[in-house]
Amino acid sequence: ILNVEQSPQSLHVQEGDSTNFTCSFPSSNFYALHWYRWETAKSPEALFVMTLNGDEKKKGRISATLNTKEGYSYLYIKGSQPEDSATYLCAFPHDAGNKLTFGGGTRVLVKP
Amino acid sequence: DAGVTQSPTHLIKTRGQQVTLRCSPKSGHDTVSWYQQALGQGPQFIFQYYEEEERQRGNFPDRFSGHQFPNYSSELNVNALLLGDSALYLCVRRTVTYEQYFGPGTRLTVT
């Protein structure tokens, strides 16, 4: 059983502030790490697929880093806006793109 | 557009009943996986279908079964429903380039 953990479980952020949160995963047999953003009443939306140690990806004000040797990834939100409020999920594939083990998610609430 | 539709959107069933949930990926020749997301938890892998065969299975009892049709659509069947089966059920299609797209989910409530 793979252990994928996210912390914190929830986060309240003031509009305009930056924030970050963590996903930890097994450091052996690494294929990739997926980040998803899940807004209430919508489908999870793929943010990033990270594959290389030291990888850093960016999409607008959201970015992510990856450390495969120590088994963690950070997701950063710069200058948080109310529309960033969502649950952010990381997922670890067991092999090349198949079965995903998800973390429990970090629920972000950005207050105006 | 994730290219995955699921039906129904919501469903209420009674303990002991059986339920069938449906998933239709937009394009063909994709792997289709089903996940269960209980309140406050991340999605848990149920099983995966490709070319009409179950390819991988998670830690779910035999009450959970599935099927994939020649048109790549898929069904998830749950027999003898328990209260603990109440959850959001997500269908995910994986393309040949390993991108994964989620459907909107079916919210199942067992009373």
Side-chain angles (χ1 to χ4, degrees):
Chain A
I1 297 176
L2 296 182
N3 208 23
V4 180
E5 294 185 347
Q6 290 186 248
S7 64
Q9 277 189 317
S10 66
L11 210 45
H12 287 200
V13 187
Q14 201 62 43
E15 182 177 357
D17 287 352
S18 297
T19 189
N20 66 83
F21 38 93
T22 313
C23 171
S24 62
F25 51 86
S27 54
S28 57
N29 298 321
F30 180 84
Y31 289 92
L33 187 80
H34 298 238
W35 278 102
Y36 291 89
R37 167 197 160 90
W38 196 357
E39 291 180 74
T40 304
K42 294 186 179 179
S43 307
E45 171 201 353
L47 284 174
F48 307 114
V49 179
M50 309 189 75
T51 53
L52 298 173
N53 185 40
D55 225 0
E56 181 170 344
K57 296 211 171 180
K58 193 174 178 184
K59 187 175 184 175
R61 291 177 292 95
I62 302 176
S63 61
T65 60
L66 179 69
N67 183 324
T68 59
K69 293 182 180 177
E70 295 182 38
Y72 65 83
S73 176
Y74 286 120
L75 193 92
Y76 299 88
I77 305 176
K78 185 178 176 183
S80 304
Q81 299 297 309
E83 58 264 31
D84 297 326
S85 297
T87 295
Y88 292 82
L89 288 167
C90 68
F92 185 81
H94 289 230
D95 49 37
N98 284 314
K99 173 184 173 182
L100 295 174
T101 294
F102 283 85
T106 294
R107 184 188 296 270
V108 174
L109 178 63
V110 181
K111 301 184 208 176
Chain B
D1 178 14
V4 182
T5 59
Q6 290 187 243
S7 63
T9 308
H10 296 87
L11 200 53
I12 299 174
K13 288 284 190 177
T14 304
R15 201 167 37 177
Q17 286 188 312
Q18 180 266 342
V19 69
T20 297
L21 311 182
R22 294 178 177 84
C23 170
S24 296
K26 182 169 73 173
S27 59
H29 219 68
D30 290 339
T31 300
V32 174
S33 300
W34 286 90
Y35 288 80
Q36 180 198 65
Q37 200 236 354
L39 202 61
Q41 297 179 21
Q44 301 289 315
F45 177 78
I46 303 175
F47 43 53
Q48 179 186 81
Y49 278 83
Y50 181 66
E51 294 188 335
E52 302 176 54
E53 286 189 22
E54 184 182 293
R55 302 289 177 163
Q56 285 187 298
R57 190 176 180 91
N59 295 322
F60 278 80
D62 293 344
R63 297 186 297 109
F64 289 75
S65 63
H67 193 76
Q68 187 178 33
F69 299 94
N71 66 356
Y72 301 102
S73 66
S74 177
E75 285 182 352
L76 163 66
N77 301 293
V78 188
N79 294 323
L81 283 166
L82 303 174
L83 296 178
D85 296 332
S86 295
L88 181 70
Y89 289 86
L90 293 161
C91 174
V92 183
R93 76 174 179 102
R94 180 177 69 85
T95 69
V96 294
T97 52
Y98 302 110
E99 294 154 313
Q100 309 232 14
Y101 297 98
F102 284 76
T106 293
R107 172 74 62 188
L108 172 65
T109 302
V110 182
T111 63

